[in-house]
Every structure is written in C-alpha cells, then in structure tokens.
C-alpha cells in the first residue's frame, strides 16, 4: 500500500483503513486455520504416542506373564513386585509417571530364567555349585535377551542389577553402594518384601509387619539405607492393599 500523503481525502483514507482492516482480518483467519491444523496434528500425534505406549505395555506384560506362567507357585510375583517397587520408586523421587521403563524393568526382572532348566529352577533339594552358578546367570541372560529393545531404556539396568547388594556382595557385577542403579536398589527392597510375604514350600508367608522388621535389618548391608528410609514412610496397609488388588 502507498504511503499516506497530504493529497489523500477523508474518503480515500477511510477506504485505505477499510482495506487494511480486511487484510488484517484475512491474516487473522489464516492464522486461526494454521493454529487449528497444528492442534489437530498434535492431537493425532498424542493419540499415536498413546497407542504406541499401550502396545509397549501390552508386549512387556505378555512377556512377563510368559515368564510367570512357568512358576505357578510364585503366582503374580512380577506384578506385585512392580506395584511395590513403583510405590517405593515414587517415594525415592524416581520419575516413574512420565516414563514407564522402570516398571518394565520390574516386570521383566527374571526374564533370564527362561534359560534355566525346570529341573534346576524347581529342584526341591539344595543346588549343586554348578546349578547355582547357572541360576546366578539369569540377570546377565535377561539383559542380553532385552539388549536391543530400546524402549525398555533403564528398565534393562533393573534386569541386570536386580541381585546386586548395597555391600557389594551381590551379583552379577558385585556393584556396591550408589554405583548400583537406583531403580535396581529400589527393586531389591520390593523383591524382598514380596518374597517374605508370600508362602514358600519351606515356610509360610510373614505378615507385612514382620517383613518390615526383616527389611529394616538389611539396611546398609543388603539394601540402600536411603531406599529403606523411604520404605519406612509407607505404611504396611499400602502394600497390603496393593497385594489384594492384584
Ligand atoms: Fe532374579
């Protein structure tokens, strides 16, 4: 549009003003269309991401159920450990809401046991040295099985390190203290809690109150004291309710 000069009449100025307004309205409508298009693209992307996330979760649960199905005795061990672990992880400040990888690791922790023969896994007597060393390989085998599945992220660290101990006497890498990934340190407490509160062929289940005393005794040796301190903040009834809900 040409610049305003002294020769412009009121009528021509008004016409220019109206033209400017029309152009501004047109631009505004165009911007609104762009914004609506963008909103639609975001909505579709979100729906796709959600769909993908559900597929991941379903895949992980299917794999976890396949591992569990072998051992009728432990029942829903992986589901319970995952539920207890998530409760503890939140209390330890782990960002579990936005990334499901840690829960995936909890669910799949024993996937490597697929490589342990039934005759060893379910042997009622004590294991030979050789059999025990085969059982102890399951965290490494598990992390190898899952190695190329990128969406499992740090969940794979839980699988590899779920039998490490705070004092360095665990396996497979003998990691010590906070060199053990935090999610694996959280898992260790959740796993012990479930083991103690579940019936085993050689002993009945403990109450959550008795199990708590046992876990507290392991702070600083088997377990990270900070994770145990977080566990102390969570009442037994929370874990009891989680167990009943599964
Ligand atoms: Fe294990």
């Amino acid at each position: 549009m040409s610049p305003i000069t002294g020769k412009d009449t009121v009528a021509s100025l008004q016409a220019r003003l109206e033209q400017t307004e029309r152009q501004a309205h047109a631009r505004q409508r165009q911007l609104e269309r762009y914004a609506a298009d963008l909103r639609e693209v975001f909505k579709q992307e979100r729906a796709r991401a959600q769909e993908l996330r559900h597929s991941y979760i379903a895949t992980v649960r299917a794999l976890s159920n396949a591992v569990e199905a072998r051992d009728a005795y432990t029942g829903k061990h992986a589901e319970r450990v995952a539920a207890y672990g998530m409760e503890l992880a939140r209390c330890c400040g782990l960002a579990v809401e936005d990334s499901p990888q840690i829960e995936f690791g909890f669910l799949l922790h024993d996937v490597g046991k697929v490589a342990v023969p039934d005759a060893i896994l379910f042997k009622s007597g004590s294991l030979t040295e050789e059999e025990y060393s085969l059982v102890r390989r399951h965290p490494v085998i598990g992390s190898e099985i899952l190695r190329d599945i990128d969406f499992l992220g740090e969940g794979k660290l839980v699988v590899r390190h779920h039998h490490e101990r705070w004092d360095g006497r665990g396996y497979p890498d003998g990691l010590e203290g906070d060199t053990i990934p935090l999610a694996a340190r959280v898992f260790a407490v959740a796993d012990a809690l479930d083991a103690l509160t579940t019936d085993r062929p050689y002993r009945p289940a403990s109450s959550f109150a008795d199990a708590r005393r046992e876990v507290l005794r392991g702070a600083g040796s088997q377990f990270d004291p900070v994770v145990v301190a977080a566990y102390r903040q969570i009442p037994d009834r929370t874990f009891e309710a989680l167990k009943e809900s599964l």
Side-chain angles (χ1 to χ4, degrees):
M1 192 184 289
S2 57
I4 297 171
T5 67
K7 290 178 187 163
D8 281 312
T9 62
V10 172
S12 73
L13 282 173
Q14 197 158 11
R16 288 162 69 113
L17 186 61
E18 283 168 5
Q19 190 190 358
T20 307
E21 278 176 358
R22 276 197 301 278
Q23 286 170 344
H25 277 132
R27 270 198 295 274
Q28 190 180 340
R29 278 195 298 277
Q30 195 173 26
L31 280 175
E32 282 168 358
R33 276 196 299 274
Y34 286 154
D37 287 351
L38 265 179
R39 272 198 299 276
E40 186 56 30
V41 169
F42 278 135
K43 209 167 106 186
Q44 287 174 5
E45 280 301 312
R46 229 187 353 249
R48 264 195 291 273
Q50 192 77 352
E51 208 175 294
L52 201 58
R53 192 179 163 129
H54 283 144
S55 304
Y56 286 163
I57 293 171
T59 307
V60 168
R61 289 201 180 273
L63 194 51
S64 160
N65 288 340
V67 176
E68 295 272 287
R70 257 182 101 195
D71 188 352
Y73 203 79
T74 53
K76 292 185 166 182
H77 164 70
E79 300 254 1
R80 286 193 304 271
V81 160
Y84 302 165
M86 293 298 278
E87 192 66 37
L88 273 166
R90 270 183 222 108
C91 231
C92 292
L94 272 167
V96 288
E97 307 305 338
D98 300 330
S99 69
Q101 284 94 343
I102 291 171
E103 187 174 11
F104 292 163
F106 292 164
L107 284 166
L108 294 174
H109 65 281
D110 269 346
V111 72
K113 283 190 177 168
V114 294
V116 182
D118 283 2
I120 297 176
L121 202 57
F122 306 122
K123 189 174 172 182
S124 52
S126 52
L127 299 177
T128 66
E129 194 68 32
E130 201 181 333
E131 288 167 340
Y132 189 51
S133 73
L134 186 61
V135 172
R136 281 166 59 106
R137 286 183 59 218
H138 77 271
V140 171
I141 295 169
S143 59
E144 283 296 308
I145 289 171
L146 306 174
R147 189 184 53 203
D148 296 327
I149 308 180
D150 291 338
F151 75 80
L152 294 177
E154 64 178 311
K156 286 184 273 190
L157 295 177
V158 175
V159 176
R160 180 163 184 116
H161 298 297
H162 72 278
H163 284 291
E164 304 285 0
R165 288 173 52 110
W166 181 254
D167 58 13
R169 291 170 52 226
Y171 63 93
D173 299 315
L175 297 185
E176 191 177 344
D178 55 17
T179 60
I180 305 166
L182 177 55
R185 282 180 265 149
V186 165
F187 176 87
V189 172
D191 193 32
L193 191 59
D194 186 56
L196 291 163
T197 53
T198 306
D199 283 322
R200 291 291 154 105
Y202 44 89
R203 57 139 179 83
S206 299
S207 66
F208 278 90
D210 288 342
R212 179 173 293 268
R213 278 188 282 278
E214 196 64 37
V215 170
L216 297 192
R217 257 200 295 277
S221 52
Q222 186 173 355
F223 309 120
D224 175 357
V226 173
V227 175
V228 174
Y231 163 63
R232 292 181 77 146
Q233 307 301 312
I234 307 171
D236 289 339
R237 64 177 177 279
T238 301
F239 295 108
E240 283 160 0
L242 286 171
K243 186 177 183 178
E244 280 162 23
S245 71
L246 294 170

